[in-house]
Amino acid sequence: MYDMNHLKKLGTLGKNASEAMKAFQAFDSIALQEGAIPVKYKELMAVAVALTTQCPYCLEIHKKNAIKAGATQEELAEATFISAALRAGAAVVHGTHLMDD
C-alpha cells in the first residue's frame, strides 16, 4: 500500500480540494521553518512523531530534511528511542484503565 510514488498524486488531491491543500501547505511550511526552535530540531521532532504514527511517507521526507538540516545518525537513533519510550509509556499509562480500584 505504501509507495513513495503515491506522493506524485498530491497534485491531483490538491486540484480536488485546492483551498484546503493551499492552507495545509502554508501551515506545514510555517510550522517547519526556522523559529525559536531550529529547523534541525523541528525535523527531528517530525521524525519522532512519524515513528509514533508509523507514517512511512513522513519518515522518508523528514529523515531527508533532518539530515539536510544537519542531523546525525546518532540523533536519528536517539529520536527513535525517545519515540519508543513514549509509545511504550502511553501503553503503560493506559493500562491503568484496566485496573479495578
Side-chain angles (χ1 to χ4, degrees), residues 22-47 49 62 65:
K22 286 177 192 170
F24 171 74
Q25 288 173 327
F27 174 69
D28 186 64
S29 177
I30 291 167
L32 289 163
Q33 72 186 11
E34 192 77 23
I37 299 171
V39 170
K40 179 174 109 170
Y41 298 148
K42 288 183 176 188
E43 290 298 343
L44 286 167
M45 291 165 60
V47 166
V49 170
H62 293 291
N65 290 345

Side-chain angles (χ1 to χ4, degrees), residues 30-86:
I30 291 167
L32 289 163
Q33 72 186 11
E34 192 77 23
I37 299 171
V39 170
K40 179 174 109 170
Y41 298 148
K42 288 183 176 188
E43 290 298 343
L44 286 167
M45 291 165 60
V47 166
V49 170
L51 286 163
T52 58
T53 61
Q54 298 179 333
C55 176
Y57 301 113
C58 293
L59 280 172
E60 185 69 23
I61 291 166
H62 293 291
K63 171 192 160 191
K64 286 179 182 176
N65 290 345
I67 291 169
K68 182 179 174 185
T72 65
Q73 292 294 297
E74 291 83 6
E75 289 170 323
L76 290 168
E78 285 189 17
T80 299
F81 284 99
I82 291 167
S83 300
L86 289 174

